[in-house]
Amino acid sequence: MRLTSKGRYAVMALVDLARFNNINPVSLRDISLRQGISLDYLEQIFSKLRKKEIVQSVRGTQGGYILNKRAKEIKLTNIFEAVDEKVKTVQCKKDSKKGCNGKLTKCLTHNLWDELENHINNFFDEKSLEDLVKDNNERRV
Amino acid sequence: MRLTSKGRYAVMALVDLARFNNINPVSLRDISLRQGISLDYLEQIFSKLRKKEIVQSVRGTQGGYILNKRAKEIKLTNIFEAVDEKVKTVQCKKDSKKGCNGKLTKCLTHNLWDELENHINNFFDEKSLEDLVKDNNERRV
DNA sequence: TATAAACCCGACTAAAATAGTCAAGTATCA
DNA sequence: TGATACTTGACTATTTTAGTCGGGTTTATA
């Protein structure tokens, strides 16, 4: 099991963005430099974040992105969903040959993966962007 | 983030094995048929489980595998570790250019991934093979 | 003692996913 | 009008995954 870079980058970039928010739009170029993430890749990621209304874009010079909601209201779940990073455990539904979708007796561990998914998602549901920014400021002091 | 088949298969196979334990060794061929997992792939997986002393092998005709410990003592953590399925979140240590290993100011989200890892590992630490077998028997009734 | 069942081991490979890159735009400010 | 920055979609190299394949060795049993 691994978390992909896309998800990590999305969170890193948004924490970066959240710190500068309410002042001016932040350009991807700046985030790219500060966080060491490829600009082109960031553009892909922010395109998704914008479509899911997590950020707003400001075009033109001095443009960039701003948060579209308060940091408190943006949960990690929302971020991961936006960039297609979801916890996948069982594939029972997709392919009728594998997994257990038809037969009641199969998939001895189905329940387990469900539980695990819930466990992880609870963690993501509870953490907001604000929490991360705060957490960061505290450690900085 | 996804859980790979190797980890899922390992758990499925061991639950299957645990149900028949204390009677005779169970052959991979049987597990392969019951669980729909490629025999060759199972052999790879069980080779790792054996090296980590989770199962014992019995060679020759009528051979197979048996658990090397009581089902209660085999935690999911042990299984995942054995098949190299671990929760990977941050790569800070490996590559000195990326991540945050040197610099104190980088990696705004380092703490987060640590927490997440702990959260998931707690789940795996608590679940034993016995729990899964029991859980299964209950639902079967 | 021959044979078949089963484990053992390492190399190979096809397919998918990931992590980007690249090119050609459009909008806006100064 | 030029520079900055977002927008979009196609392309691609690399890595990982999920196996396959071909050869072993061991051992019960007929």
Side-chain angles (χ1 to χ4, degrees):
Chain A
M1 174 161 14
R2 54 196 276 267
L3 196 69
T4 67
S5 287
K6 199 184 285 183
R8 274 190 291 122
Y9 288 172
V11 177
M12 286 169 71
L14 284 174
V15 172
D16 188 322
L17 180 56
R19 291 187 305 162
F20 290 83
N21 204 36
N22 302 325
I23 307 170
N24 283 313
V26 179
S27 72
L28 293 189
R29 190 170 162 279
D30 286 354
I31 295 178
S32 163
L33 290 173
R34 276 195 297 264
Q35 304 302 328
I37 305 167
S38 137
L39 177 59
D40 284 312
Y41 203 28
L42 271 180
E43 282 177 347
Q44 279 185 39
I45 292 169
F46 272 76
S47 165
K48 295 185 179 202
L49 293 173
R50 188 173 53 85
K51 279 171 192 155
K52 290 296 166 69
E53 299 180 331
I54 290 172
V55 295
Q56 264 187 340
S57 69
V58 178
R59 303 185 71 158
T61 325
Q62 308 296 348
Y65 287 92
I66 54 173
L67 293 184
N68 197 29
K69 304 172 187 176
R70 274 178 297 162
K72 198 179 198 166
E73 281 152 15
I74 301 175
K75 307 293 184 184
L76 290 198
T77 310
N78 309 133
I79 300 173
F80 284 128
E81 266 171 15
V83 298
D84 308 314
E85 178 99 318
K86 38 196 162 189
V87 182
K88 283 182 280 184
T89 53
V90 202
Q91 273 101 337
C92 299
K93 302 282 159 60
K94 285 180 187 168
D95 177 32
S96 61
K97 289 237 173 181
K98 298 197 174 180
C100 58
N101 62 329
K103 315 181 176 175
L104 288 167
T105 49
K106 265 210 171 185
C107 214
L108 301 174
T109 51
H110 192 120
N111 243 29
L112 171 69
W113 312 123
D114 270 0
E115 269 184 70
L116 173 60
E117 266 190 34
N118 288 337
H119 187 72
I120 296 175
N121 285 329
N122 284 344
F123 181 83
F124 289 150
D125 281 340
E126 278 163 21
K127 285 270 174 194
S128 75
L129 213 50
E130 190 183 59
D131 296 333
L132 297 181
V133 174
K134 271 187 187 168
D135 185 47
N136 223 261
N137 288 338
E138 277 163 24
R139 274 184 302 140
R140 195 167 294 260
V141 174
Chain B
M1 176 164 11
R2 55 196 275 268
L3 196 69
T4 66
S5 287
K6 198 184 286 183
R8 273 191 291 122
Y9 288 170
V11 177
M12 286 169 72
L14 284 174
V15 172
D16 188 321
L17 180 55
R19 290 187 306 161
F20 289 84
N21 204 37
N22 302 325
I23 308 170
N24 283 313
V26 178
S27 73
L28 293 190
R29 190 171 162 280
D30 287 354
I31 295 178
S32 163
L33 290 172
R34 277 195 297 264
Q35 304 302 327
I37 303 168
S38 140
L39 178 58
D40 284 311
Y41 202 29
L42 270 181
E43 283 180 346
Q44 280 184 40
I45 292 169
F46 271 75
S47 164
K48 295 185 179 205
L49 293 173
R50 188 173 53 84
K51 278 169 192 157
K52 290 296 166 73
E53 299 180 332
I54 290 172
V55 295
Q56 263 187 339
S57 67
V58 179
R59 301 184 71 156
T61 325
Q62 308 297 347
Y65 287 92
I66 54 173
L67 293 184
N68 198 29
K69 305 173 188 175
R70 274 179 297 164
K72 199 178 197 167
E73 281 152 15
I74 301 175
K75 307 294 185 184
L76 290 198
T77 310
N78 309 133
I79 301 173
F80 284 129
E81 265 171 16
V83 299
D84 307 314
E85 179 99 319
K86 37 195 166 191
V87 183
K88 284 182 281 183
T89 52
V90 201
Q91 273 103 336
C92 299
K93 303 281 160 60
K94 284 180 188 169
D95 177 32
S96 63
K97 288 238 175 180
K98 296 194 175 182
C100 57
N101 60 331
K103 315 180 178 177
L104 288 166
T105 49
K106 266 209 168 185
C107 215
L108 301 174
T109 52
H110 192 121
N111 242 30
L112 172 68
W113 313 123
D114 270 359
E115 269 184 70
L116 173 60
E117 266 189 34
N118 289 337
H119 187 72
I120 296 176
N121 285 328
N122 285 344
F123 181 83
F124 289 150
D125 281 339
E126 279 163 21
K127 286 270 174 194
S128 74
L129 256 190
E130 192 184 59
D131 296 333
L132 296 182
V133 174
K134 271 188 185 167
D135 184 48
N136 223 260
N137 289 338
E138 277 163 24
R139 271 185 303 139
R140 194 165 296 259
V141 173

